[in-house]
Amino acid sequence: MKDEIALLATVTLLGVLLQAYFSLQVIYARRAFRVSPPLTTGPPGFERVYRAQVNCSEYFPLFLAALWVAGIYFHEGAAALCGLVYLFARFRYFHSYERSAELRLAPMYQSAGALWLLIALGALGLLSHFLPAPLRAALLGWLRTLLPWA
Amino acid sequence: MKDEIALLATVTLLGVLLQAYFSLQVIYARRAFRVSPPLTTGPPGFERVYRAQVNCSEYFPLFLAALWVAGIYFHEGAAALCGLVYLFARFRYFHSYERSAELRLAPMYQSAGALWLLIALGALGLLSHFLPAPLRAALLGWLRTLLPWA
Amino acid sequence: MKDEIALLATVTLLGVLLQAYFSLQVIYARRAFRVSPPLTTGPPGFERVYRAQVNCSEYFPLFLAALWVAGIYFHEGAAALCGLVYLFARFRYFHSYERSAELRLAPMYQSAGALWLLIALGALGLLSHFLPAPLRAALLGWLRTLLPWA
């Protein structure tokens, strides 16, 4: 089992590190803008950093769930790669949002795209898992003509 | 392994889709009520949609964790069924909360019931896993008289 | 598979129970301080309980992810033990924060320590998994001299 999920586990741990990094940024922003817990409102500069972290935290469980379903039922390497794209987009989202609410949009759409791709790959993988064997073979054959590198 | 968790993975992916749907509803509510990020306060109609989504997000990791423990250590089909009940209750919770804070209570209790059932099934499954073999056989026999369809 | 993850599943379920307990505390605080949903602001006593729960919820997915990676790739028992330390620190964090924002710091650092340890163990386990066999043997030998009880 360990061999088939090692890439997923690696991307998962990278994601945990990224979320921990975002949490530290909120702590630094609390100091810089003098916003003490339990307050979460303050200058717009603080609120943007705080909202960026909250948004990334809300999506993190969705990301992990889609990553693992896609990685187990579709293709581990493809899912791990999408996962890296997602995490990199989230990193850019966080630092863009820090600068302005407007700038967050482009990396936000990119991270959403990576997440939807993971969901689609997971759905495709599960569909092929539940299909009777002849239909599954036909589906896989069709996918291979679409994605010759898979 | 894939065969024993396919139903759990399917319910997980449905849950991710439901959470993504809730996030989209918040985006629509932001537009309808003209509440731009990073603000999260505004007219009560917006705040109810926002709170509904935050509450569902907070419980999502608890739901997934209980679903998988119950599905692996108790019974996959029973856990997946509870999971569907939970997700449907959350869907009704979200749209009831959108209309009024009072209306959210009935589906909230239903989703809590499904979650507690998953926790109980998981605890029972783990208990039977750790029991010595003769005690486990006695517990399983007793469960079978209670739940003849299991 | 079930035998190699039963301790991780047990700690996971304990974590779900702890989070459910925190959610109940927020409901009681809402009643005590008369703060009705969807409001999340109110007297400092309510806001501290609310923030404590939100903070624990945000970290819960990170905790579960690090617990499972460390438990699968490093050592199940060691990860489960760190997990118990983390959950106990979070319990103390919650009730300390309830009393004052100052008091939350000591258990917060303790929970962060347990989480960083899980992340480090997971990274070490994955590193040794990806290393070529001779390097892995050397790393394991070195770890055994450091941790003779492992």
Side-chain angles (χ1 to χ4, degrees):
Chain A
M1 183 187 72
K2 277 187 192 181
D3 289 318
E4 298 157 34
I5 57 170
L7 294 177
L8 304 178
T10 305
V11 175
T12 298
L13 210 61
L14 287 176
V16 170
L17 285 172
L18 189 64
Q19 289 294 130
Y21 168 79
F22 293 157
S23 292
L24 289 175
Q25 302 305 306
V26 174
I27 294 175
Y28 300 148
R30 282 193 177 281
R31 285 187 201 147
F33 292 99
R34 298 179 182 279
V35 180
S36 296
L39 270 186
T40 58
T41 48
F46 169 75
E47 292 198 358
R48 286 200 307 273
V49 172
Y50 174 69
R51 281 305 305 162
Q53 187 261 328
V54 168
N55 190 283
C56 294
S57 293
E58 273 179 6
Y59 277 88
F60 191 60
L62 311 192
F63 163 65
L64 286 187
L67 172 75
W68 282 79
V69 173
I72 291 174
Y73 287 95
F74 184 80
H75 188 282
E76 197 202 2
L81 196 68
C82 278
L84 289 179
V85 170
Y86 176 86
L87 292 178
F88 184 60
R90 278 294 176 177
F91 177 80
R92 293 196 307 117
Y93 164 85
F94 188 90
H95 285 299
S96 308
Y97 204 168
E98 197 174 17
R99 283 154 59 202
S100 95
E102 191 63 30
L103 285 172
R104 87 186 192 289
L105 291 173
M108 191 184 86
Y109 293 138
Q110 208 170 5
S111 77
L115 184 57
W116 281 113
L117 187 55
L118 281 173
I119 293 173
L121 297 183
L124 214 59
L126 279 170
L127 188 73
S128 113
H129 179 86
F130 283 117
L131 282 178
L135 279 175
R136 190 194 309 189
L139 179 68
L140 286 178
W142 175 72
L143 273 176
R144 238 168 243 138
T145 59
L146 273 181
L147 316 163
W149 40 265
Chain B
M1 180 187 71
K2 278 186 191 182
D3 289 318
E4 297 157 35
I5 58 171
L7 295 177
L8 304 178
T10 305
V11 175
T12 297
L13 210 60
L14 287 176
V16 170
L17 285 172
L18 189 64
Q19 289 294 129
Y21 168 79
F22 293 156
S23 292
L24 288 176
Q25 301 306 305
V26 174
I27 293 174
Y28 300 149
R30 282 191 178 281
R31 285 186 200 148
F33 292 100
R34 299 178 183 280
V35 180
S36 296
L39 270 186
T40 58
T41 49
F46 169 75
E47 292 198 357
R48 287 201 306 274
V49 171
Y50 175 70
R51 280 305 306 161
Q53 187 259 330
V54 169
N55 189 283
C56 293
S57 294
E58 272 178 6
Y59 277 88
F60 191 60
L62 311 192
F63 163 65
L64 286 187
L67 171 75
W68 283 78
V69 173
I72 291 174
Y73 288 94
F74 184 80
H75 187 282
E76 197 201 3
L81 196 68
C82 278
L84 289 178
V85 170
Y86 176 86
L87 292 178
F88 184 61
R90 277 295 176 175
F91 178 80
R92 294 196 307 116
Y93 164 86
F94 188 90
H95 286 299
S96 309
Y97 204 168
E98 197 174 17
R99 282 154 60 203
S100 94
E102 190 64 29
L103 285 172
R104 86 186 192 289
L105 291 174
M108 191 183 87
Y109 292 137
Q110 208 170 4
S111 77
L115 184 58
W116 280 113
L117 188 55
L118 281 172
I119 293 173
L121 296 183
L124 213 60
L126 278 170
L127 189 71
S128 113
H129 179 85
F130 282 116
L131 282 179
L135 278 175
R136 190 195 307 190
L139 178 67
L140 285 178
W142 174 73
L143 273 175
R144 237 167 245 138
T145 59
L146 273 183
L147 315 163
W149 40 265
Chain C
M1 182 187 72
K2 278 187 192 181
D3 290 317
E4 296 157 36
I5 58 171
L7 294 176
L8 304 178
T10 305
V11 174
T12 298
L13 210 61
L14 287 176
V16 171
L17 285 171
L18 189 64
Q19 289 294 128
Y21 168 80
F22 292 156
S23 292
L24 289 175
Q25 302 306 306
V26 174
I27 294 174
Y28 300 149
R30 282 191 177 280
R31 284 186 201 147
F33 292 100
R34 299 179 183 279
V35 179
S36 295
L39 269 186
T40 57
T41 48
F46 168 75
E47 292 198 357
R48 287 199 306 273
V49 171
Y50 175 70
R51 281 305 306 162
Q53 188 260 331
V54 169
N55 190 283
C56 294
S57 294
E58 272 178 7
Y59 278 87
F60 191 59
L62 312 193
F63 163 65
L64 286 187
L67 171 75
W68 283 79
V69 174
I72 291 174
Y73 288 94
F74 184 80
H75 188 283
E76 196 200 4
L81 196 69
C82 278
L84 290 178
V85 170
Y86 176 86
L87 292 178
F88 184 60
R90 277 295 176 175
F91 178 80
R92 294 195 307 116
Y93 166 85
F94 188 91
H95 286 299
S96 307
Y97 204 168
E98 198 174 18
R99 281 155 60 204
S100 96
E102 191 63 30
L103 284 172
R104 87 187 193 289
L105 291 173
M108 191 183 85
Y109 292 138
Q110 207 169 5
S111 77
L115 184 57
W116 281 112
L117 187 54
L118 281 172
I119 292 173
L121 296 183
L124 213 59
L126 278 171
L127 188 72
S128 114
H129 179 85
F130 282 116
L131 281 179
L135 278 175
R136 189 194 308 190
L139 179 67
L140 286 177
W142 174 72
L143 273 176
R144 235 165 247 140
T145 58
L146 272 182
L147 316 161
W149 40 266

